[in-house]
Amino acid sequence: MNTSTVPEPDVTVSNLTKLYGNRPAVQNVSFEIGKGVTALLGPNGAGKSTIIRCISGLIDWNEGDIAVGGVNCRLDPQLARSKIGYLPERAAFPNDLRVTAYLEYAAHMKKVPRSERVDAVEVALDDLDLKPVAKRLVGNLSKGYRQRVGLAQALVGKPPVLVLDEPLAGIDPLHIWDFRDVLTAYASEHTILLSTHMIPEARILCDRVLVVSEGHLVYDGSLIGAELSGRVARRWRIGVLGPTLDELRRQVAAVGASIIYQAGSGTSNNLVIDAEDPRSVSDLVQATITQGWSVAHLEPLTDLIGAAFERAGLSPTNSAPQ
């Protein structure tokens, strides 16, 4: 008998609705997330930060329920907040405190036991490579290092849930690489919800994306799942050895796909094709094998996150007032 059970989600949002006056900022949003990195995507004004602030306990909401680590955030908000490490989009830092002192203060506010605070701060300093600036005033640090300090305070005490609002905005590439490494390592045993409009970062860091448009959740799924589904037009790059270009062109048309780019010489051909039905790609590969040709390479090129925005009638670069 199989006694294994599905792990409980670390964050559950059920029918969340938040109004600012009479204006709905979030409308009937529901999702569950567990270990790993989940991206919350959407243009400015879509409702991402409102969802983040509700989960983090910074603002109240009108309807629905939120639970963190199995704790109802409305019934026991203090206990729920103790399970979250939070980094706001515009973090305010005490410029007159040194880095170590600030992290010690953060550990105190998070109620990390006194006997564990020194170790907790040391771990955070190590994780974010802050040891070289540990004795410097926070106010004298570069933006990249201040953002590292902000993430370090979120990580102090190793909370089970990390909630980050635009953590990579304005960060130089060197710091972004370090952030990726830290978040990827932390996500192996913890839950991270990352709000961003930086689509390339979401693609690199996240296996799952939640797309928000005008307060509604319009897409929820993994990138892999989206790629394997038939819900978006598919663009593929394929290399085939054996046929002439005309022979291959006829075979592509026979499976219901279309060629948008072609290059080759002799019997070595490289194509970029559009295939609305993912079975077209499978049929093309099978036909290639049946004909005695060889598939040199096959890779998807579709921008899946961009496609999710398009299904919502948006452009990933669109913006609206906050």
Side-chain angles (χ1 to χ4, degrees):
M1 179 178 177
N2 186 358
T3 59
S4 63
T5 59
V6 177
E8 290 292 326
D10 289 316
V11 178
T12 301
V13 176
S14 304
N15 304 312
L16 178 66
T17 295
K18 170 64 179 177
L19 305 175
Y20 291 114
N22 293 324
R23 182 179 69 85
V26 177
Q27 303 181 66
N28 200 35
V29 167
S30 298
F31 59 84
E32 296 180 345
I33 58 175
K35 290 179 175 56
V37 185
T38 298
L40 186 61
L41 291 172
N44 293 335
K48 304 188 305 296
S49 290
T50 297
I51 294 172
I52 289 289
R53 290 167 186 159
C54 289
I55 293 173
S56 302
L58 298 179
I59 60 174
D60 199 0
W61 57 95
N62 298 87
E63 297 179 13
D65 291 301
I66 301 174
V68 177
V71 178
N72 187 297
C73 295
R74 196 185 291 278
L75 298 180
D76 198 342
Q78 185 172 356
L79 179 58
R81 283 196 296 268
S82 72
K83 298 177 178 292
I84 296 174
Y86 173 60
L87 177 61
E89 179 179 4
R90 298 178 181 88
F93 298 101
N95 294 331
D96 57 342
L97 280 183
R98 301 189 187 277
V99 172
T100 299
Y102 172 60
L103 295 181
E104 289 171 347
Y105 171 74
H108 169 71
M109 294 302 294
K110 289 184 172 188
K111 299 187 179 346
V112 175
R114 184 184 296 273
S115 60
E116 300 174 13
R117 286 177 196 166
V118 172
D119 287 341
V121 170
E122 285 294 308
V123 169
L125 289 170
D126 280 335
D127 286 347
L128 275 299
D129 195 22
L130 288 169
K131 286 288 185 69
V133 298
K135 296 182 179 180
R136 291 180 58 183
L137 294 173
V138 177
N140 291 339
L141 299 177
S142 67
K143 180 175 181 178
Y145 269 105
R146 287 199 303 272
Q147 201 74 347
R148 285 177 185 254
V149 172
L151 183 55
Q153 68 77 25
L155 290 170
V156 164
K158 298 292 184 182
V161 176
L162 204 59
V163 179
L164 310 175
D165 196 357
E166 300 287 357
L168 304 176
I171 304 300
D172 65 69
L174 180 61
H175 288 285
I176 285 178
W177 278 104
D178 290 341
F179 270 48
R180 286 177 187 165
D181 291 342
V182 171
L183 296 178
T184 299
Y186 199 77
S188 64
E189 297 181 358
H190 303 83
T191 296
I192 300 177
L193 178 62
L194 184 152
S195 168
T196 184
H197 64 270
M198 298 174 66
I199 293 175
E201 290 309 313
R203 185 181 294 110
I204 292 170
L205 282 169
C206 308
D207 293 322
R208 179 182 174 194
V209 294
L210 307 171
V211 180
V212 181
S213 168
E214 297 180 349
H216 294 278
L217 184 64
V218 297
Y219 179 78
D220 176 0
S222 71
L223 299 182
I224 294 174
E227 183 58 62
L228 295 177
S229 75
R231 297 177 59 188
V232 296
R234 205 73 77 247
R235 182 164 294 181
W236 298 80
R237 179 165 58 195
I238 183 170
V240 180
L241 304 177
T244 65
L245 190 56
D246 284 341
E247 289 174 323
L248 184 56
R249 189 183 295 115
R250 286 193 292 271
Q251 195 64 64
V252 170
V255 301
S258 59
I259 298 173
I260 62 172
Y261 174 81
Q262 61 188 41
S265 59
T267 57
S268 176
N269 302 286
N270 289 282
L271 306 178
V272 175
I273 65 172
D274 270 346
E276 293 283 344
D277 188 339
R279 289 173 296 184
S280 298
V281 179
S282 175
D283 291 345
L284 179 60
V285 172
Q286 184 61 47
T288 298
I289 295 171
T290 300
Q291 294 284 352
W293 307 332
S294 299
V295 177
H297 61 262
L298 177 66
E299 61 178 308
L301 299 179
T302 303
D303 183 347
L304 296 171
I305 299 176
F309 276 94
E310 290 171 8
R311 287 199 300 275
L314 299 168
S315 164
T317 58
N318 280 353
S319 63
Q322 289 283 6

